[in-house]
Amino acid sequence: MLTIARSIAAGALLVLIPTSTPVFGQIAASHDPAEPQQKIAKPKLPPRPSGAIARTAVDEKSMRSLIEELVACGTRLSIASWNDPKRGPGCGRDHIVARLNKISKDTGGKLQIVVDKFEGTSVRTSNKPAPMENVYAILPGTDEKLSKTVFLVSGHFDSRPSDDQDTKADAPGADDDSSGVAVSVESARLLSKIAANGKAANRATLLFAAVSGEEQGLLGSTHLVDWLKEKGYTVGGMLDDDIVGDDLSPGAPHRVRLFSGNGEIDDCDSPSRELARAIEEIDGVSAIRTIFRVDRYGRGGDHYPFYKAGLPAVRFTEPLEDYTHQHQTPRTENGVEYGDFMKYLNMAFMGNVARNNAEALRQLALAPTPPKDAKLTGAVTPDAKVSWSADEDSERAGFEILWRETTEPRWSVYTFAESTGETVLKGVSTDNHFFAVRSVGKNGARSIAVPTEMEHRPIPGTKK
């Protein structure tokens, strides 16, 4: 006799397993007491915001042409010349600025374009200050209270050959990371167009970045963390798109991988992890393959400086990387072609990534600010007690109280509360679940979840 093990991944194979064989991690709910014991009314929840970005709205031709322009710069190594209009990082900067200026013009000047010049120092700049430049397109928030909260998407426009000090060798960088830049710029086009049409304008500010110095040690993103702080912004979420263009395996396009770090929290609830959960919920598990790891094994990206600063930051990356197309001077050896060329890109996959980034940013920028001071009390009692506070917001409908088994990766909604304070979850143990709270707007947009902090109870007979 066979039973079917269910997969949440769209299109995944169904696995037939004999009923006599226990499934790893599968526990029959009937073997545990119900929590709560009594039935509770299913909460009536506001639907997600209307007006989701259609996949057909993504302009793949525009994305391809921008990548072609960047590749034509020969190399975009950040320590090469910034003054040559036809070769080097300055060439890449000029194409990005031109594209963003056109988008801004087409949308009635909605975007504010900034070229941010600075110096960066690392081992890969010979420990000497080297000129760097980032490019930002800013779509200001329309809500006075939320306009200093910023959600951003970023790709790095620098590239590198095999030798990260070789400014003469070609480094096309089509996938790493012209693809991420194209996603950031296309997100700017999609979302500024929505703003120009007056449809559900973003309450928080959106920033679309193309940074330099990634290959020299994450210099551009490290500087961006400081730049945002200096400008008085609070980072609501950072989406890093790095190597999001190659998906040539059979059955493509596949899901994009979304990496998020756990931080210093034992129960997997860092701000970055909560951002990843929010994105997965917005875009769906058929589009997002969530990876509970800060980055690829032994690797790093531009979300990392944000993550280390305790800010919500995640990384999008293609399903399976081909290392012959990364950090390689173009050449052929033993019949193997090395180099990061246009021909290895999958535009259908990249268009999916652009749509998913833009839709996540749209909904996050429509949401109220997250709750504050979320607490869990009720130890040694039959009931869990969840409390929180929040700033006043006339556009907020209320709050969702979330829970999950300690072994579950995703939240479920337990109940809905219209106001701040304390909610008692009768018959729910504080021991068996994790809890969180998130804000819900009247428009249906959800903030990222805020996990509850447990009350400190000393171990009997100690001061610990």
Side-chain angles (χ1 to χ4, degrees):
M1 191 172 182
L2 298 175
T3 186
I4 295 177
R6 187 178 56 184
S7 170
I8 62 171
L13 293 175
L14 294 176
V15 181
L16 300 179
I17 302 172
T19 52
S20 60
T21 303
V23 180
F24 178 77
Q26 186 182 59
I27 300 174
S30 61
H31 289 188
D32 301 319
E35 292 185 61
Q37 292 285 339
Q38 72 283 6
K39 286 187 176 181
I40 60 172
K42 188 176 181 180
K44 186 177 181 181
L45 306 174
R48 283 278 175 180
S50 60
I53 295 171
R55 176 61 177 82
T56 54
V58 176
D59 190 345
E60 291 179 16
K61 290 183 179 179
S62 178
M63 295 176 71
R64 176 181 286 276
S65 67
L66 176 58
I67 295 172
E68 289 173 342
E69 290 172 348
L70 295 175
V71 169
C73 292
T75 181
R76 302 184 306 278
L77 189 65
S78 293
I79 56 175
S81 172
W82 284 89
N83 300 317
D84 188 334
K86 294 184 178 181
R87 183 178 177 84
C91 170
R93 171 207 58 211
D94 292 346
H95 285 300
I96 295 164
V97 170
R99 186 62 63 92
L100 290 171
N101 278 328
K102 183 179 185 305
I103 292 171
S104 186
K105 181 179 179 181
D106 292 344
T107 56
K110 287 293 183 182
L111 292 177
Q112 301 171 1
I113 314 303
V114 176
V115 177
D116 180 20
K117 299 182 179 181
F118 62 100
E119 289 185 335
T121 305
S122 72
V123 172
R124 294 182 182 179
T125 66
S126 301
N127 292 315
K128 297 178 181 179
M132 301 280 164
E133 299 184 25
N134 291 344
V135 181
Y136 315 135
I138 302 170
L139 184 61
T142 59
D143 188 296
E144 183 178 353
K145 292 183 179 180
L146 290 172
S147 61
K148 295 306 286 187
T149 295
V150 62
F151 291 91
L152 62 144
V153 56
S154 180
H156 69 86
F157 67 91
D158 58 314
S159 63
R160 56 159 288 185
S162 303
D163 179 356
D164 59 39
Q165 300 298 298
D166 189 347
T167 61
K168 303 298 183 183
D170 283 345
D175 192 15
D176 186 13
D177 182 35
S178 296
S179 64
V181 172
V183 166
S184 181
V185 172
E186 179 62 9
S187 296
R189 188 190 70 82
L190 290 165
L191 292 165
S192 60
K193 186 176 180 180
I194 291 173
N197 291 338
K199 297 179 180 179
N202 47 293
R203 301 183 68 192
T205 292
L206 292 168
L207 187 148
F208 311 92
V211 302
S212 64
E214 195 270 354
E215 305 292 5
Q216 263 55 54
L218 312 180
L219 299 179
S221 55
T222 299
H223 172 77
L224 180 53
V225 172
D226 295 335
W227 186 89
L228 290 166
K229 184 177 181 180
E230 290 170 5
K231 299 299 181 182
Y233 285 110
T234 297
V235 176
M238 187 273 187
L239 282 57
D240 174 28
D241 284 82
D242 194 351
I243 312 178
V244 291
D246 184 346
D247 182 24
L248 300 180
S249 301
H254 300 98
R255 295 188 297 171
V256 68
R257 291 184 293 168
L258 182 65
F259 290 84
S260 64
N262 183 48
E264 303 300 325
I265 303 174
D266 290 339
D267 50 15
C268 306
D269 284 326
S270 71
S272 295
R273 189 61 48 79
E274 296 308 338
L275 176 60
R277 289 188 173 109
I279 293 170
E280 183 195 64
E281 189 173 339
I282 291 169
D283 291 326
V285 294
S286 63
I288 303 295
R289 182 181 181 183
T290 304
I291 308 290
F292 280 4
R293 162 172 272 157
V294 66
D295 208 328
R296 292 87 30 83
Y297 189 59
R299 309 285 295 282
D302 281 325
H303 64 306
Y304 192 71
F306 287 81
Y307 168 73
K308 290 301 289 182
L311 303 171
V314 296
R315 176 189 178 124
F316 290 82
T317 297
E318 63 200 23
L320 289 174
E321 296 172 77
D322 188 330
Y323 304 113
T324 63
H325 304 158
Q326 294 180 20
H327 299 181
Q328 298 287 349
T329 300
R331 68 195 188 280
T332 298
E333 291 181 0
N334 300 321
V336 177
E337 184 178 43
Y338 294 84
D340 190 352
F341 299 114
M342 285 288 305
K343 63 183 178 180
Y344 298 120
L345 301 184
N346 182 321
M347 295 308 302
F349 170 76
M350 202 184 312
N352 290 346
V353 177
R355 186 269 169 196
N356 293 330
N357 271 259
E359 180 61 18
L361 289 168
R362 184 184 80 90
Q363 292 199 31
L364 290 168
L366 288 173
T369 54
K372 300 184 295 185
D373 306 318
K375 305 289 185 185
L376 174 66
T377 57
V380 202
T381 77
D383 307 323
K385 301 177 181 67
V386 177
S387 62
W388 67 95
S389 64
D391 297 329
E392 290 294 324
D393 190 338
S394 61
E395 296 302 313
R396 185 175 53 229
F399 305 89
E400 288 175 342
I401 298 174
L402 310 175
W403 69 329
R404 72 175 198 271
E405 290 271 353
T406 60
T407 52
E408 269 292 314
R410 296 172 181 83
W411 295 113
S412 295
V413 178
Y414 183 88
T415 191
F416 183 83
E418 293 184 353
S419 59
T420 59
E422 182 178 83
T423 295
V424 179
L425 313 185
K426 287 190 172 296
V428 175
S429 169
T430 56
D431 306 327
N432 302 339
H433 301 88
F434 293 131
F435 303 89
V437 185
R438 66 183 177 192
S439 300
V440 183
K442 293 177 180 178
N443 56 13
R446 273 77 169 166
S447 73
I448 67 173
V450 177
T452 55
E453 294 183 12
M454 295 183 292
E455 63 179 329
H456 177 66
R457 293 176 58 84
I459 300 171
T462 76
K463 294 182 180 181
K464 294 183 180 180

